[in-house]
C-alpha cells in the first residue's frame, strides 16, 4: 500500500492498452477507511446513554439526534452521488472525512443539546460524501472483478461497526464525553489515507482504467425493465435491513429473555452474529462475479429463511450456530445488490451507491424504531417470530432480469 499511495511517489495514468490488474493497495486503503468511518459512526450511537446522562435528554431528544444523523447520512447520499457522477471530485474523499473529524471534535466539547445535534449531522455528512465516492473508487480499482472489489470495500465497514461499541465501552464510558477527541484521531488517519487514494483516483480518472470502469455500457434493458428491477431490489433491501435491524438492536435482549444469560454473554453472542455478517460480506461479491449476481441475491436472502425460521425454537448452542449462518447468508447479498444496480444504471455509479447505501442506513434506522415499538407493544419473542419470515421475501429476486445471459446474448449477436 505504501508504494502505491506514498505522497512523494510519482503517479501516472495507465495509458497502455494492456488491461490494468486489480489495484489491491487502493482497495485495501478504502476498506480501511471504511472501517474507520463506520467505527466512528457507531461510537456516536453507542454514546447515547452518556449524552442522555450529561444533558438530561428525553427519549424524544435521543430520537432527534438519530434523525439528524440519519438525515445527513442517508438522504444526502443519493444527491452527492448524482452530483459527482456529473462532476467527479476525487479530493472530496478527504474533505468528507474532514466533516466527520469536525463532528467528533464538536461532540467532545458540545455544551448543549443543539451542539450535539449539529455534531451528529456533521458525522452523517462525512458518510454521505464517503460512501458514493469510495464505491466509485472500488469499481475503478476492480479490473472487472466488481463484486470482489465491493466485498473488500464493504467488509471494512462491517468490522468498523462492530468495533465502535467496543471502543465506546473501553474508552468513552470510563473517561466521559471529552474522550471522544481521541476517536477523532481515527478521522485524521482517514484523511491522510484518503488523500493518497484521491491522488490515485485523479490520476486514473481519464486513463483507460477510469474510462472503462465508468463508461455507460448497454445492458439491453428498457426504462420500464430497469424500474421494475430497481423496485425488486428496494423490496429486498427492506427485507434484509429490517431483519438485520432486529438482530443488531434486539438479539441480546432476545437471548436474555429466552435463555436468561448474562449481559456479557449476550454481547459475545452478538459478536458471533457480526462475525457471520463480515464473512458473508467478503464472500458474496466474488461469488457473484463467478456465478452471477442474481443467483447470489436470491440465494442469499431466501437462503437465510431456513436459519431464521429455526432460530426462535432451538437451544442456546444451536442459536449461536444458526445466527452465524443467518448473518453470513443475508450479508452476502449486499455487494451483489450494489454491483447489480450499477449494471442496471451504467455510468451512474455514484447515484446508485448513494441511493443503496443511503437506503441501508435509512431502513436500518426505521427498522430498529418500528421493531422496538412492536416489542414494547407485544414481546421480544413475538418480534423474533415475526422477523423470521422477512427473508422469505427473497423469493421476489427470481423476477430480476438475468444480466449475465443478456451480456452473453449481446456478445453472440455481435
Amino acid at each position: 500500500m505504501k508504494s502505491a499511495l506514498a505522497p512523494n511517489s510519482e503517479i501516472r495514468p495507465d495509458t497502455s492498452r494492456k488491461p490494468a490488474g486489480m489495484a489491491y493497495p487502493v482497495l485495501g486503503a478504502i476498506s480501511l477507511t471504511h472501517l474507520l468511518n463506520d467505527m466512528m459512526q457507531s461510537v456516536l450511537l453507542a454514546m447515547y446513554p452518556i449524552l442522555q446522562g450529561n444533558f438530561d435528554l428525553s427519549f424524544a431528544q435521543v430520537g432527534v439526534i438519530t434523525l439528524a444523523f440519519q438525515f445527513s447520512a442517508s438522504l444526502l447520499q443519493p444527491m452527492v452521488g448524482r452530483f459527482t457522477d456529473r462532476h467527479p471530485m476525487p479530493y472530496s474523499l478527504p474533505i468528507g472525512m474532514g466533516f466527520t473529524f469536525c463532528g467528533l471534535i464538536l461532540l467532545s466539547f458540545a455544551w448543549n443539546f443543539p451542539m450535539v445535534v449539529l455534531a451528529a449531522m456533521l458525522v452523517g455528512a462525512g458518510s454521505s460524501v464517503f460512501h458514493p465516492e469510495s464505491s466509485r473508487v472500488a469499481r475503478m480499482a476492480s479490473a472487472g472483478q466488481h463484486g470482489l472489489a465491493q466485498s473488500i470495500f464493504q467488509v471494512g465497514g462491517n468490522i468498523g461497526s462492530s468495533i465502535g461499541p467496543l471502543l465506546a465501552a473501553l474508552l468513552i464510558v470510563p473517561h466521559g464525553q471529552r474522550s471522544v477527541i481521541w476517536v477523532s484521531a481515527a478521522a485524521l488517519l482517514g484523511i491522510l489515507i484518503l488523500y493518497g487514494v484521491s491522488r490515485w483516483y485523479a490520476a486514473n480518472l481519464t486513463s483507460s482504467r477510469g474510462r472503462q470502469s465508468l463508461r455507460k455500457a448497454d445492458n439491453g434493458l428498457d426504462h420500464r425493465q430497469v424500474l421494475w428491477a430497481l423496485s425488486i431490489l428496494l423490496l429486498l433491501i427492506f427485507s434484509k435491513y429490517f431483519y438485520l435491524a432486529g438482530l443488531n438492536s434486539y438479539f441480546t435482549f432476545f437471548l436474555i429473555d429466552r435463555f436468561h444469560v448474562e449481559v456479557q454473554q449476550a454481547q459475545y453472542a452478538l459478536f458471533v452474529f457480526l462475525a457471520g455478517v463480515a464473512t458473508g460480506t467478503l464472500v458474496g461479491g466474488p461469488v457473484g462475479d463467478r456465478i452471477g449476481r442474481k443467483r447470489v441475491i436470491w440465494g442469499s436472502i431466501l437462503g437465510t429463511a431456513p436459519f431464521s425460521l429455526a432460530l426462535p425454537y432451538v437451544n442456546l448452542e444451536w442459536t449461536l450456530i444458526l445466527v452465524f449462518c443467518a448473518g453470513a447468508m443475508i450479508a452476502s447479498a449486499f455487494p451483489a445488490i450494489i454491483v447489480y444496480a450499477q449494471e442496471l444504471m451504467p455510468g451512474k455509479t455514484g447515484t446508485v451507491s448513494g441511493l443503496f447505501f443511503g437506503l441501508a442506513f435509512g431502513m436500518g434506522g426505521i427498522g430498529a424504531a418500528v421493531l422496538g415499538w412492536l416489542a414494547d407493544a407485544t414481546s421480544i419473542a413475538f418480534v423474533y417470530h415475526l422477523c423470521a419470515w422477512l427473508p422469505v421475501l427473497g423469493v421476489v429476486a427470481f423476477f430480476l432480469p438475468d444480466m449475465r445471459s443478456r451480456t452473453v446474448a449481446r456478445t453472440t449477436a455481435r
Side-chain angles (χ1 to χ4, degrees):
M1 185 184 297
K2 184 176 180 180
S3 61
L5 300 175
N8 295 326
S9 62
E10 185 177 4
I11 304 176
R12 295 190 179 92
D14 179 13
T15 56
S16 64
R17 294 186 178 181
K18 183 179 179 180
M22 182 174 283
Y24 283 106
V26 176
L27 289 171
I30 60 170
S31 183
L32 176 58
T33 49
H34 199 183
L35 183 155
L36 296 174
N37 180 80
D38 286 21
M39 178 193 72
M40 290 181 288
Q41 288 181 49
S42 59
V43 163
L44 168 65
L45 301 177
M47 279 188 62
Y48 282 178
I50 295 174
L51 296 173
Q52 188 178 41
N54 287 354
F55 300 107
D56 194 25
L57 303 180
S58 67
F59 285 112
Q61 287 175 307
V62 172
V64 169
I65 298 172
T66 302
L67 178 64
F69 169 72
Q70 293 286 2
F71 174 82
S72 59
S74 58
L75 296 184
L76 292 181
Q77 285 199 47
M79 291 185 280
V80 171
R82 182 176 175 82
F83 180 82
T84 54
D85 278 337
R86 298 178 177 180
H87 311 283
M89 301 176 65
Y91 289 94
S92 64
L93 283 167
I95 292 172
M97 191 64 76
F99 282 117
T100 302
F101 174 73
C102 293
L104 291 173
I105 293 293
L106 180 59
L107 183 63
S108 67
F109 291 100
W111 58 89
N112 58 26
F113 173 66
M115 291 298 102
V116 172
V117 172
L118 178 59
M121 292 185 69
L122 286 172
V123 173
S127 279
S128 289
V129 177
F130 175 79
H131 285 108
E133 282 295 86
S134 292
S135 191
R136 191 196 311 278
V137 170
R139 189 170 181 87
M140 188 181 292
S142 68
Q145 299 182 66
H146 304 310
L148 175 58
Q150 278 295 323
S151 286
I152 293 172
F153 166 56
Q154 289 178 28
V155 77
N158 292 141
I159 296 171
S161 295
S162 63
I163 291 175
L166 186 61
L167 184 63
L170 295 176
L171 177 65
I172 298 171
V173 172
H175 301 289
Q177 181 182 343
R178 290 293 176 89
S179 62
V180 175
I181 197 168
W182 295 106
V183 180
S184 67
L188 279 178
L189 176 61
I191 290 170
L192 294 175
I193 296 172
L194 288 175
Y195 177 74
V197 171
S198 294
R199 294 185 67 214
W200 180 89
Y201 178 10
N204 284 275
L205 190 59
T206 57
S207 70
S208 59
R209 178 196 287 273
R211 290 194 302 271
Q212 183 177 4
S213 66
L214 303 177
R215 66 188 175 91
K216 297 184 178 181
D218 179 24
N219 57 23
L221 301 176
D222 60 33
H223 184 66
R224 182 183 60 82
Q225 290 172 310
V226 170
L227 289 179
W228 170 250
L230 285 174
S231 299
I232 293 173
L233 292 179
L234 295 180
L235 181 59
L236 294 173
I237 288 288
F238 161 78
S239 168
K240 169 182 164 62
Y241 279 94
F242 259 65
Y243 183 69
L244 285 177
L247 287 173
N248 275 320
S249 301
Y250 304 109
F251 182 53
T252 52
F253 296 104
F254 171 74
L255 293 175
I256 293 168
D257 178 70
R258 178 169 170 76
F259 301 111
H260 309 291
V261 299
E262 299 293 333
V263 173
Q264 190 176 32
Q265 290 177 291
Q267 291 290 345
Y268 289 146
L270 181 60
F271 274 104
V272 171
F273 163 69
L274 293 172
V277 170
T279 302
T281 301
L282 194 57
V283 170
V287 172
D289 287 336
R290 289 180 175 272
I291 69 172
R293 322 222 187 272
K294 176 181 175 178
R295 293 177 181 176
V296 170
I297 293 168
W298 70 255
S300 168
I301 298 179
L302 186 59
T304 306
F307 305 112
S308 66
L309 290 170
L311 260 174
Y313 302 101
V314 297
N315 61 26
L316 180 58
E317 289 74 18
W318 274 103
T319 294
L320 297 179
I321 295 170
L322 292 180
V323 81
F324 177 89
C325 295
M329 285 296 294
I330 203 162
S332 63
F334 196 57
I337 288 174
I338 290 288
V339 178
Y340 185 94
Q342 289 172 350
E343 292 170 351
L344 279 177
M345 302 173 66
K348 297 182 179 180
T349 301
T351 302
V352 168
S353 302
L355 174 64
F356 280 87
F357 277 107
L359 280 170
F361 275 101
M363 286 295 179
I366 294 170
V370 170
L371 294 175
W373 170 83
L374 189 60
D376 284 337
T378 57
S379 68
I380 196 71
F382 176 81
V383 166
Y384 266 82
H385 281 82
L386 182 65
C387 286
W389 291 92
L390 285 172
V392 176
L393 287 173
V395 70
V396 302
F398 282 110
F399 299 102
L400 288 170
D402 191 338
M403 306 292 284
R404 280 165 64 96
S405 64
R406 290 176 180 275
T407 301
V408 171
R410 290 198 308 276
T411 304
T412 304
R414 291 182 187 135

